Amino acid sequence: MSVIHPFHPERARREQWVLSICAVAVVLLVGLAFLPPITLYSGHVGHMLAVHIMLELFSTIVSLLVVIMALNMTQRSGDDIANTLVYGFIVVAGADLIHALTYDGMPALLTESSTQKAIFFWLIGRCFGLFAMVLLAARARLPGSPWMWLALGLLTMTTMFLIGTFVLDQLPVTFVPGIGVTPFKAFVEYGLCAGYLAVAAWLFLQYRMDPEARSLYLAAACFIMGLGELGFTSYVAPSDFINLFSHLFKIAAFGFVYLATFFIGWREPYQLLVQSERQLRDREFELDTLLSNIPVGVFRLDCELRYRYINPAHEVSLGGRHTLVVGRHIDDIMPVQFLHLLRPRIIEALAGSRVEFDYDYTDEKGTEIYCAAMLVPDLNVDGNIEGVVIIVSDTTVREVARRQLLESWREVSELNAALDAHAIVAVTDARGVITRVNDKFCSISQYSRSELIGKTHRLIKSGHHSKSVFEGLWKKISRGEVWNGELCNRAKDGSLYWVYTTIMPFLGPDGAPLQYIAIRADITGRKHAEQEAQRLAFHDELTGLPNRRLMRDRLKHAIAFAARELRYGALLLLDLDNFKEVNDTRGHAQGDELLREVSNRLLRGLRQSDTVARLGGDEFVLLLSDLGSDLETASVHAGDIGEKIRENLARPYDLNGEAINTSTSIGVVLFLMDDSDPDELLKQADMALYSAKAAGRNRLSFFDPALQAEITSRALMLRDLRLGIERDELRLFYQPIVNSQHCVLGVEALVRWQHPEHGLVPPLSFIPLAEQTQLIQPIGLWVLQTACAQLARWAFQPDCAQWTVAVNVSERQFNDPEFVSIVERTIDQSGADARLLRLELTESMLHDDLNKTLYKMNALRRRGVEFSLDDFGTGYSSLSYLKKLPLNHLKIDKSFVDDVLSDPNDSAIVRTILALARNLDLNVIAEGVETDAQMDFLVSCGCAAFQGYLFSRPVPVEQLTLNCASNTAGASPSLS
Ligand code: C2E
Ligand code: MG
Ligand code: MG
């Protein structure tokens, strides 16, 4: 077994038996060497000849088989040795046949048969045999065809036959009858032996290098042949055992030659064929798997257009119905529309062309299907066309995408064209320098392209917009966002035009803008129309002055300005005294003319900051601002301006050459705070105007100065109060509520305002005002929070832990939809005990919406909060209300307590209230108790709780606890 090549069981078996035969041959030869000479068939020459012919015939037949095989070897397997085998073995076959025929005792073949003659042909056979083996070992390639070498072999054989037949005498003697083989013959045989063995060794070495069976067989043939030659070196008579026996070596050797030839000529090619067939099958399998799995339809047609192959994908495209299409004609299978397209192309492909085409059709579901088909001629191994291969791929997805792309390109180019045709387009770099503009841009701006490119949009800046507009614009676009807006630009000739502008940034890979594209639409026409509409909506058509709407708007601004700057403004309402007369006597046209002239004079006499408007008819309004910060100066100022205007308007008018005299009455009202209502101001101005008219016309009249002063002071107070809340100027005082023993039961929280100039302001001076505005909400909340915080603090002081705190609630507070949650939240946040909190309501608050009131009170009652009805008796309280509401206490108003001793009505009222309360199960607190006599009376009537200066005035908390501490008697603090 070769060390180079891996283990191969078949080869190992082969080597085993070949070597075994070689070993047997060696053993037999050694055995022969020790045998004494044995003569066979003495006296029976015929038998010996028959055996000899049989033996030789075997090798002749084998040689002929070798020749026949070599002649039929395929080119691939026999190209290198076929000629050698043909030539060598035809000579060997011939020589061995003639050798057998010319054996001593055989009939004469042209000349007498003899051993010498037979030996000549024997040696020729062996020499050519060796010659062939050498050529085989050398893998010599004899040129020409085997048939030529057959002819050459026959020629050689004929030549040898002629030599052996006719010139035998001239050749060296090889056999002497009676003596045996000559030394020459023996020498030649030894030489042949050595030659064969050498070739055997050579071939065996080749086998070791490349374990081809034929090398092994040929090596074995040479080896056995070489050994056999030794048997022919020493026989005495042809019938010697050794001579005949040695023929068996030749038979064995020829057996190996046959095997080698068989391997070369048949076995190897056959194995190759089997192998390639297997590979082919594997490839076909792979191909079939591939074709089955690819999403492309593949089919083959023969020249008669019958299916030879169809892959599953194409089967599916045919509708999946034609599973047995192979062998059938395309006309029977293929959809007509496809057939119609395909037929002419198949003809082209069958003519040898490769054809490609695209087609589309609508399938059964109505879907448009796009396909690409390719037809190639189907060639057989000889290169002849034997059909056509058709490959169909579904390109729908690609085609649809392509069409969409085309469509979007078309749209984009249409968009581009539309943009160019209708929009004003400019492209700038990241710094805003113009890099491209379209024709529309040039035409609207009146600049040429070369004037624009390289510049920024500053070139067309109109100055109409503030700096902040452009700062905002740049901020947005440099962040990569789109900016939209209306801009006013200036053309080269100085005219203004309006554009609706969209600026889009083109972002680079880092997200920073690389370029900006500005697309503008000319909206100058629309803008002018808008301005005109605005003018018409806000201006008086006759005089062009602002109308009532615009005047109201300006008045609002003026009020806000006055409040902000704390400078008075004034509203002057003007009315022509005898306009109706002018209209009636001179006609409307003259009247209109007069109004226009009045408007002109008003405009001429005004400052820039003032506004003049026409309310309608002959009514005009003047709005003066910035008249000074004190009422007197402002009044004087407004009066002066008004007087001047009145005088100016009283000058005669020239209407178409005629002089007309008319006078004007003016009503003036001043304003300072921003809670001044424009309509209210107009009403006041109207009142002033009325009094001017009433006083004889052609004069100026102020809105009642006292009233004006009060309004002003009210406004100032509100402003101060607002500031006061912000500056934390509110204070909460507490007034005790005591029992008949003067023990403190609780307190009422009463707010004060610590004004920086006016000192401590009592609640009645600012609470009613705060109630008229939203200010009561923050005040009420502050009181509630402060009182609850106080309750929470007292919880830790044993003397005060049980005190209740009553908080006054105003109507606006109570009506707040959030009232309940505000109170609850305040209680929760402060940590106060809700049961000690009392809310004081007044009668007027309870009538609004009984259900809502009930809901709110009940909600808070559930938390433990109690309710007192304050100032009871002063308002209108229905008894049914009192019954329905979850009240706990009634507070008898101070006015009844004041005169309870002197006025029998009041004492009756007090008694009635106390009786009523008893029946309704309510507690009563008498307010405003100032004297012991009052106290005694109240006690005698059954009143149990009291509040008044008799016990304590409302005091700050520190003083309250101080008072209580100094008057503590027993467990509960008392006041006396
Ligand atoms: P009210 O709720 O009826 O409070 C009682 C008022 O009578 C208090 O006046 C108190 O000082 C006064 N008073 C008590 N005893 C006597 C007395 O013996 N003689 C005299 N002459 N007066 C007495 P104050 O503190 O000026 O409060 C007046 C009103 O202002 C209160 O009447 C209440 O309606 C309102 N008010 C006070 N604080 C608040 C508050 O925080 N919120 C709301 N919404 N209103 C409040
Ligand atoms: Mg009260
Ligand atoms: Mg009261």
Side-chain angles (χ1 to χ4, degrees), residues 416-431:
N416 263 334
L419 257 183
D420 257 5
H422 301 291
I424 302 152
V425 185
V427 180
T428 74
D429 65 13
R431 293 166 303 143

Side-chain angles (χ1 to χ4, degrees), residues 748-750 806-808 840 870-871 891 927 947:
E748 178 176 3
L750 294 155
V807 170
N808 293 286
E840 294 195 1
D870 203 358
D871 307 339
K891 290 185 84 171
E927 284 187 288
Q947 181 181 353

